Amino acid sequence: MADNVQHSEVREKEKAMVYEVPHFINGQEITAQGKKLDLYNPAAGAVIGYVSVADKQMVEKAVQAAKSAFLKWSATTPPQRAKILFKFKALLDQNKENLAKLVTQEHGKTLSEALGSVQRGIDVVDFTCSIPNHLKGGYAGEIGSGVDSYSFSQPLGVCVGITPFNFPAMIPLWMFPMAIACGNTFVLKPSEKDPSCSIRLVELAKEAGVPDGVVNVVQGDKETVDALLLHPDVKAVSFVGSSPVAEYVYQTATSHNKRVQAFGGAKNHAIVMPDADLEQTAEALVTAAYDCAGERCMAISVVVAVGDEVADELIAKMKPLIEKIKLGPGLATNINMGPLVTHQHWEKVKSYIDIGKQEGAKLIVDGSQYKPADYENGFFMGCCLFDQVKPGMRIYREEIFGPVLSVVRVPTFDAALALINDHEYGNGTAIFTRDGYTARTFAEKVQVGMVGVNVPVPVPVAYHSFGGWKRSIFSDIGMYGSEAIRFYTKLKTVTQRWFPRENS
């Protein structure tokens, strides 16, 4: 009964009037005529708003605003930029609960998951407050007789960020604060599925003292993206999304002489060794696979069990944990997992479950048809667990991006390592073991960019950098931390000799 009362209260909150999400250009919100896209509350499956697609003229307005603002902003000293970013960080701290509610409203993830993602974005903003130290350059005196040399970094100009639906606050905060800290200006194109957070973020940036035009937002779809990728005044593009689109963004933008970092998909494996603590491992894997409904590029989607006994015992321990996961609207406080972001994405994930059964994998837990009471129209999908998954199967090879976990059985550690190294993706991975030598060997030899040892989701902290390998990234430079400073700046080195003046 208590659950039904709480769900009724949540439903009342979901009956808000339909709203429009604007663009934000040169410090002002702008609404525009033209093609409009529906926004959904994923829990209710109902339209709650819409967003206009920015055409070439709107993109031109945003880029020119950023270009005009660049001259003054790039001349602002790094300490002054840091002071503004510190104020921005303080405002984010004050508003993080409301930002999390915006994430939940349009994306669907639970409020606690949304709050955690906002905090990970704030952590990166915190790192930007130390930007003067990271831009200080280097100096070498007397490299030759009377010759000195020094180097320093300068901003690029107008930068663009194209962000995905799964982290509508965190990933924009991984991009534009780093870019503007380095002296650039920015145009953000958020996902059209959950764009409201982007507007609130730039409003807070303006309140913190970021000048008009330094950060702009254009809403839209592929039409908008293409206009940004082809614009001659855009100097750099940062993208997060699927690998096919990441490759398209990389090839298109680099062919137009832009610096690009494009982060793609993932198929993250976790090796479970016979000596692992299976109780703790089971809990860690269930969290890693099903948090955020599996809609995150660092989710564990494949368990590689070394030995049949390990696989059998691990499944036996995971199954009751999975069955206890409660689904419901993200604003409710008694649930563990929210809906998928759209009905289209629900259909995609469901198709992979059907494919897995057709290919001969054994479906141990099937939540594909589950709908919470009173939310039959929501985009909910319960947790699914496959056993006896083989490397040739599509559910093994391809990114599902939903609450689906596959178990692959191998006889040895070497076979497990080879399996991971042979896969086309190389974003994140983990190993569960009590043996230090095995863990060290794995960390050294695995062909993956981010590695966890008894840590299932090894997302680097803000003062390191995020980035995968292989088809998980189309770039040589990672995101946030020192890698982002390299991406958003260009190095200049001066070699100088001074002669005495004749009258001295």
Side-chain angles (χ1 to χ4, degrees):
M1 178 65 72
D3 285 359
N4 288 335
V5 170
Q6 185 182 43
H7 286 180
S8 296
E9 292 173 352
V10 172
R11 283 199 307 278
E12 289 302 315
K13 295 178 182 178
E14 291 164 351
K15 292 179 181 177
M17 294 179 63
V18 172
Y19 56 89
E20 178 179 3
V21 181
H23 311 287
F24 190 92
I25 298 173
N26 205 26
Q28 301 295 325
E29 291 186 0
I30 299 176
T31 56
Q33 301 300 315
K35 184 168 68 173
K36 297 186 186 302
L37 306 173
D38 289 337
L39 299 177
Y40 285 85
N41 177 332
V47 174
I48 55 174
Y50 60 90
V51 61
S52 297
V53 174
D55 58 16
K56 288 184 179 180
Q57 288 73 29
M58 190 66 70
V59 169
E60 179 68 25
K61 185 179 292 187
V63 173
Q64 291 308 315
K67 184 178 179 181
S68 296
F70 175 71
L71 293 175
K72 186 173 181 180
W73 180 248
S74 61
T76 303
T77 65
Q80 182 58 34
R81 296 199 296 261
K83 288 179 182 178
I84 293 172
L85 286 160
F86 187 83
K87 292 178 183 176
F88 180 44
K89 192 258 183 186
L91 287 171
L92 290 170
D93 282 330
Q94 294 168 20
N95 289 273
K96 60 185 176 184
E97 287 81 9
N98 289 332
L99 287 166
K101 288 177 183 177
L102 281 177
V103 172
T104 297
Q105 177 178 292
E106 293 180 350
H107 175 270
K109 67 179 65 182
T110 69
L111 201 56
S112 61
E113 291 169 340
L115 190 59
S117 70
V118 172
Q119 184 59 55
R120 292 304 295 261
I122 294 174
D123 291 344
V124 171
V125 179
D126 188 44
F127 175 83
T128 67
C129 296
S130 62
I131 196 66
N133 181 61
H134 298 288
L135 295 180
K136 64 185 180 184
Y139 183 89
E142 288 295 310
I143 63 168
S145 179
V147 180
D148 306 322
S149 182
Y150 64 95
S151 61
F152 56 98
S153 297
Q154 292 185 310
L156 306 175
V158 179
C159 299
V160 162
I162 303 165
T163 57
F165 69 79
N166 57 329
F167 290 104
M170 183 182 77
I171 295 181
L173 289 174
W174 283 6
M175 290 184 186
F176 79 78
M178 292 297 312
I180 69 172
C182 294
N184 302 285
T185 54
F186 206 85
V187 179
L188 173 66
K189 206 301 287 182
S191 171
E192 64 276 17
K193 297 179 177 66
D194 44 15
S196 290
C197 255
S198 63
I199 299 300
R200 188 64 188 127
L201 291 175
V202 296
E203 287 175 344
L204 292 173
K206 178 176 180 176
E207 186 178 342
V210 174
D212 292 348
V214 171
V215 183
N216 308 273
V217 179
V218 289
Q219 313 288 357
D221 55 11
K222 186 178 182 297
E223 176 186 352
T224 311
V225 170
D226 284 342
L228 289 167
L229 298 182
L230 300 176
H231 199 290
D233 290 326
V234 170
K235 303 301 181 184
V237 177
S238 185
F239 170 87
V240 176
S242 68
S243 286
V245 181
E247 187 170 22
Y248 169 80
V249 168
Y250 182 80
Q251 291 178 346
T252 303
T254 54
S255 69
H256 287 78
N257 302 314
K258 304 182 193 313
R259 184 177 293 188
V260 184
Q261 53 175 190
F263 298 82
K267 198 71 177 180
N268 303 319
H269 300 65
I271 296 176
V272 181
M273 297 297 294
D275 67 337
D277 182 326
L278 294 186
E279 200 79 41
Q280 293 180 356
T281 300
E283 293 180 2
L285 291 174
V286 168
T287 298
Y290 302 113
D291 274 8
C292 300
E295 293 176 321
R296 54 179 179 173
C297 67
M298 289 296 286
I300 291 294
S301 53
V302 179
V303 173
V304 186
V306 179
D308 287 332
E309 290 184 8
V310 172
D312 291 340
E313 187 176 350
L314 186 64
I315 289 171
K317 291 183 181 299
M318 288 196 298
K319 188 171 182 288
L321 297 175
I322 295 169
E323 291 171 341
K324 288 180 182 178
I325 294 175
K326 290 185 178 181
L327 273 69
L331 292 176
T333 56
N334 64 327
I335 56 102
N336 310 111
M337 195 170 85
L340 298 179
V341 68
T342 63
H343 182 66
Q344 181 183 22
H345 190 58
W346 185 95
E347 289 182 325
K348 175 197 167 190
V349 176
K350 177 61 168 62
S351 73
Y352 275 109
I353 296 165
D354 296 336
I355 289 168
K357 291 188 288 186
Q358 293 165 10
E359 291 180 322
K362 185 178 180 182
L363 189 56
I364 304 296
V365 179
D366 183 3
S368 61
Q369 297 299 331
Y370 178 78
K371 298 286 185 182
D374 300 326
Y375 284 89
E376 291 78 8
N377 294 325
F379 311 137
F380 289 94
M381 176 168 291
C383 303
C384 297
L385 175 66
F386 278 105
D387 188 19
Q388 303 293 341
V389 175
K390 308 299 181 186
M393 295 179 178
R394 282 185 62 191
I395 62 168
Y396 171 78
R397 299 194 320 268
E398 299 176 13
E399 183 179 38
I400 299 174
F401 218 62
V404 182
L405 180 62
S406 298
V407 177
V408 178
R409 298 169 180 239
V410 297
T412 64
F413 166 75
D414 288 340
L417 180 63
L419 195 70
I420 298 172
N421 287 347
D422 286 344
H423 202 283
E424 66 174 330
Y425 293 124
N427 206 46
T429 189
I431 187 169
F432 289 86
T433 181
R434 301 184 193 189
D435 183 76
Y437 180 78
T438 301
R440 187 178 186 278
T441 301
F442 176 72
E444 185 175 306
K445 292 188 176 182
V446 72
Q447 299 297 301
V448 175
M450 292 170 282
V451 181
V453 176
N454 299 316
V455 175
V457 184
V459 178
V461 293
Y463 42 86
H464 284 284
S465 295
F466 181 102
W469 288 11
K470 296 185 281 191
R471 282 187 60 80
S472 291
I473 187 171
F474 296 84
S475 173
D476 297 320
I477 304 178
M479 187 176 291
Y480 65 74
S482 59
E483 287 280 279
I485 293 168
R486 279 208 302 142
F487 179 76
Y488 287 120
T489 62
K490 50 193 174 186
L491 182 68
K492 180 176 285 184
T493 303
V494 178
T495 304
Q496 63 181 12
R497 170 183 284 167
W498 295 100
F499 297 98
R501 295 175 64 178
E502 291 182 3
N503 296 330
S504 298

